[in-house]
Amino acid sequence: MAGSEKNYMKKYDTIIGLEIHVQLKTKSKMFCSCDNTGELQPPNTTICPICTGQPGTLPVPNEQAIRWTIFVGLALNCKIADWSKFDRKNYFYPDLPKCYQISQYDLPIASGGWLEINGQKMKITRIHLEEDTGKLLHPTGAKYSLVDYNRAGTPLMELVTEPVIRSASEAKKFCQEYQKILRYLEVSDADMEKGQMRCEANVSIQEHGKWRYEKGEIKPINNYKLNPKIEIKNINSFRAVEHAIEYEIMRQEKILKEQGKLHQETRGWDDARGVTYHQRSKEFAHDYRYFPEPDIPPLNLTELKEKIKTELPELPQAKLSRFITQYEFSPEDALILTSKKSLAHYTEQVVSELKAWLVSLEEVEGTKNEIWKKNKKKLINLVSGWLINKLGGLMKAKNTTMANLKITPENFSEFITLLYQNKINTTTALLILEKMMEKGADPSTLLEESGLEQVSDEKELLEIVKKVVAANAEAVGQFKAGKVNALQFLVGQVMRQTKGKANPEVVHEILIRLLT
Ligand code: ZN
Ligand code: MN
């Protein structure tokens, strides 16, 4: 794909806009008090007269959903409206019980923000709130369809970007970064495979140099006729975001090269076949006959947005740069450690515990910060190495999540101090870590129980080294004759005698001293 991407880039520019719907994980639905976990429940059990649109019922907006939409809007640098309202979007489809969707038309809660991707600010047009629809089921072979309204009325937050995304991989990155923010804010799990986050992409290709971008719109230069944009739906994973757009760009370019004509349409993504297919000719906005929802008064958000501004937590990108500047993790490590809020929090707790421990241990003069500065590099390297590679690997192998990890940050930092003080070698450390995962016990206790504490004491080791030297005259001779490998053999013998507990570096030093 990368090769063909280069080819059409010469002649055509790719223009992508995204529409991303996200289910908010509020307790109740958007306009009624029904349980909002209906997708996990038997069909049509979490419904009421309101979310099934019975005559005479009144919708009442969910305040939590409004707060969370403001929260997301602020996180994405949007302007929050002082006044917002809901509107009816009319269309007929059996999964929509009221024959209209309560959505927002001209006064969305948030507008005009951006999300930084690869150092570029990707403009966001708006974020608004609406309700999800029910689900249609088509049993194989049956002449009827079934409808499950459990999902109808789930709060759905829709983000629309300006047509500023210029490649399939950028689009994927946008979705991933957005998901990370939603998870940090704890407003949605935003799992694409579960339909909690659904991405639609508007894709067009235009001849290079013949269009310009103006006030959120693509405008032709001179007499150039713009190619229509094509909407892709049914994208159910990050991988599919990239593949569907890549496929669509190739398809459109091929048609244009063969002098064919493109029509504005909606296409579905067939993940199994790796192709997009025609679904329907695109409706225009006026088909929906939007009008203000008469049952819900307009919302004044002036006070609420000021309050919510003060509640905004640190966001992934800010945390990432802080992990690099404050703790001096490498950018690669910092990216992994801040990929999940829970992991980032754990890491910070571990570092904080280490700092406290270090100060209590050092006898040297100096302030807390001076002591920390002196030892920081080594400790931070130990933390990232053991947290990302070793603990991360173990957790993956044992299917453990941060939520059910038995190792407390206190115990993990104590474990790091054992490594720092050379009380355990790598092999022992791995054994201890595995036991910590199983039992949740503290590493010192486990180490004592196992009797595997590393021996670094010179006097103790000297006795053993002397014995090994006496018993291995041949290897000693070889080493003295210049064979370096013989020394490794002797170190190995000492390790064997001590059942792996000897500190190999110290043994090495003693041997050199005795034999040279
Ligand atoms: Zn309901
Ligand atoms: Mn929508």
Side-chain angles (χ1 to χ4, degrees):
M1 290 270 181
S4 59
E5 193 162 354
K6 264 185 204 130
N7 287 335
Y8 57 69
M9 283 307 281
K10 280 181 206 150
K11 190 172 178 205
Y12 294 106
D13 294 327
T14 302
I15 295 162
I16 303 161
L18 297 175
E19 280 173 32
I20 308 174
H21 286 86
V22 168
Q23 290 180 334
L24 297 178
K25 56 175 180 186
T26 50
K27 282 210 169 67
S28 56
K29 289 188 184 179
M30 188 62 225
F31 298 110
C32 61
S33 55
C34 284
D35 178 4
N36 191 27
T37 61
E39 284 182 86
L40 309 169
Q41 317 290 343
N44 298 309
T45 56
T46 59
I47 56 175
C48 74
I50 297 172
C51 55
T52 53
Q54 307 302 312
T57 56
L58 271 183
V60 177
N62 183 326
E63 191 184 328
Q64 182 71 281
I66 293 169
R67 283 170 168 270
W68 282 354
T69 305
I70 295 174
F71 219 31
V72 174
L74 290 170
L76 295 180
N77 314 290
C78 291
K79 187 182 175 314
I80 306 300
D82 285 306
W83 284 95
S84 186
K85 70 173 166 72
F86 287 99
D87 300 275
R88 287 190 184 178
K89 180 180 179 178
N90 299 277
Y91 68 94
F92 303 99
Y93 204 64
D95 63 4
L96 191 65
K98 296 195 287 280
C99 286
Y100 60 83
Q101 178 190 33
I102 303 180
S103 179
Q104 297 194 284
Y105 187 52
D106 53 341
L107 290 177
I109 290 177
S111 55
W114 48 265
L115 173 60
E116 192 173 312
I117 302 294
N118 303 332
Q120 261 187 300
K121 287 177 180 170
M122 297 295 168
K123 284 189 184 169
I124 292 159
T125 312
R126 58 186 281 157
I127 304 172
H128 71 254
L129 201 48
E130 56 190 34
E131 56 180 339
D132 210 345
T133 62
K135 259 183 182 171
L136 286 177
L137 301 147
H138 311 285
T140 22
K143 286 183 176 153
Y144 55 85
S145 291
L146 297 168
V147 63
D148 174 8
Y149 284 130
N150 280 0
R151 196 180 70 173
T154 287
L156 204 57
M157 187 178 64
E158 178 175 345
L159 173 147
V160 182
T161 75
E162 298 204 0
V164 287
I165 295 166
R166 300 296 298 279
S167 72
S169 66
E170 239 173 52
K172 179 172 102 177
K173 195 99 189 282
F174 187 99
C175 294
Q176 288 172 323
E177 203 57 39
Y178 185 39
Q179 181 195 58
K180 211 193 274 184
I181 288 172
L182 296 166
R183 289 182 173 178
Y184 259 67
L185 297 176
E186 294 172 48
V187 301
S188 174
D189 294 333
D191 192 329
M192 286 193 83
E193 277 82 358
K194 289 181 185 158
Q196 295 160 343
M197 176 168 166
R198 312 198 278 269
C199 176
E200 287 153 27
N202 284 299
V203 181
S204 77
I205 57 174
Q206 310 295 349
E207 278 182 45
H208 185 68
K210 300 206 171 161
W211 62 277
R212 70 201 150 86
Y213 178 76
E214 191 188 300
K215 287 182 192 150
E217 275 182 79
I218 304 299
K219 297 262 169 75
I221 291 175
N222 297 331
N223 295 327
Y224 177 67
K225 197 170 173 316
L226 286 175
N227 291 316
K229 61 178 183 197
I230 279 139
E231 185 176 359
I232 321 172
K233 287 186 184 280
N234 306 350
I235 304 176
N236 297 321
S237 67
F238 290 129
R239 206 189 104 264
V241 171
E242 193 168 20
H243 285 185
I245 295 173
E246 272 174 355
Y247 174 85
E248 191 52 30
I249 295 166
M250 284 205 307
R251 189 189 68 86
Q252 292 180 23
E253 198 216 16
K254 189 161 174 278
I255 290 174
L256 291 179
K257 274 199 172 147
E258 289 162 0
Q259 310 299 321
K261 216 171 141 34
L262 290 165
H263 302 278
Q264 185 157 338
E265 62 177 325
T266 298
R267 297 179 71 85
W269 169 246
D270 183 331
D271 206 36
R273 286 162 57 218
V275 297
T276 61
Y277 58 92
H278 175 80
Q279 275 187 328
R280 60 175 184 266
S281 299
K282 172 88 179 138
E283 317 89 344
F284 292 88
H286 61 255
D287 283 345
Y288 291 127
R289 296 180 298 117
Y290 278 101
F291 64 85
E293 167 59 64
D295 290 338
I296 304 173
L299 310 162
N300 185 340
L301 305 176
T302 315
E303 266 175 50
L304 193 58
K305 71 178 179 187
E306 288 310 317
K307 191 170 173 291
I308 291 174
K309 259 180 207 165
T310 64
E311 294 167 6
L312 204 64
E314 187 177 38
L315 293 163
Q317 288 182 350
K319 209 180 273 286
L320 171 67
S321 36
R322 192 168 57 77
F323 268 48
I324 297 168
T325 53
Q326 183 182 338
Y327 301 127
E328 292 170 33
F329 283 114
S330 74
E332 298 77 27
D333 289 348
L335 191 63
I336 298 170
L337 293 171
T338 58
S339 61
K340 280 188 185 139
K341 194 182 186 179
S342 54
L343 177 59
H345 184 61
Y346 190 87
T347 308
E348 294 210 79
Q349 283 181 300
V350 168
V351 173
S352 153
E353 290 287 334
L354 274 175
K355 253 178 163 171
W357 165 79
L358 198 60
V359 172
S360 75
L361 179 93
E362 288 278 321
E363 279 120 10
V364 288
E365 297 286 313
T367 64
K368 214 169 159 179
N369 277 339
E370 282 165 2
I371 298 168
W372 172 241
K373 253 188 195 160
K374 225 178 73 195
N375 297 278
K376 187 180 191 177
K377 204 172 171 63
K378 191 175 171 192
L379 279 167
I380 287 294
N381 280 341
L382 281 172
V383 170
S384 58
W386 281 88
L387 206 50
I388 296 170
N389 303 324
K390 309 293 196 315
L391 183 62
L394 273 177
M395 285 173 72
K396 217 173 199 176
K398 311 231 152 149
N399 242 328
T400 307
T401 61
M402 288 309 294
N404 55 30
L405 179 66
K406 284 187 185 160
I407 306 176
T408 62
E410 293 78 10
N411 283 345
F412 190 82
S413 76
E414 191 184 343
F415 170 77
I416 294 292
T417 64
L418 293 175
L419 280 158
Y420 183 79
Q421 294 173 302
N422 283 323
K423 285 191 179 165
I424 45 176
N425 59 32
T426 305
T427 321
T428 309
L430 269 172
L431 282 170
I432 298 282
L433 193 62
E434 217 165 320
K435 281 194 180 149
M436 287 168 75
M437 283 233 347
E438 273 168 40
K439 300 180 177 172
D442 73 274
S444 307
T445 310
L446 290 169
L447 185 59
E448 255 169 55
E449 278 174 18
S450 70
L452 286 173
E453 188 156 357
Q454 179 158 280
V455 182
S456 299
D457 184 71
E458 289 222 16
K459 270 184 202 155
E460 202 176 318
L461 288 176
L462 185 62
E463 290 311 305
I464 304 164
V465 174
K466 276 182 180 164
K467 273 184 207 157
V468 167
V469 166
N472 291 281
E474 201 188 331
V476 171
Q478 282 172 347
F479 174 68
K480 285 187 170 162
K483 210 174 156 200
V484 186
N485 279 351
L487 190 68
Q488 249 353 84
F489 171 79
L490 292 167
V491 173
Q493 290 305 304
V494 177
M495 295 307 287
R496 245 179 88 177
Q497 292 286 318
T498 59
K499 297 198 176 76
K501 287 190 286 183
N503 181 335
E505 279 169 38
V506 178
V507 173
H508 197 268
E509 273 168 33
I510 297 175
L511 274 167
I512 297 270
R513 222 167 46 221
L514 282 181
L515 302 179
T516 55

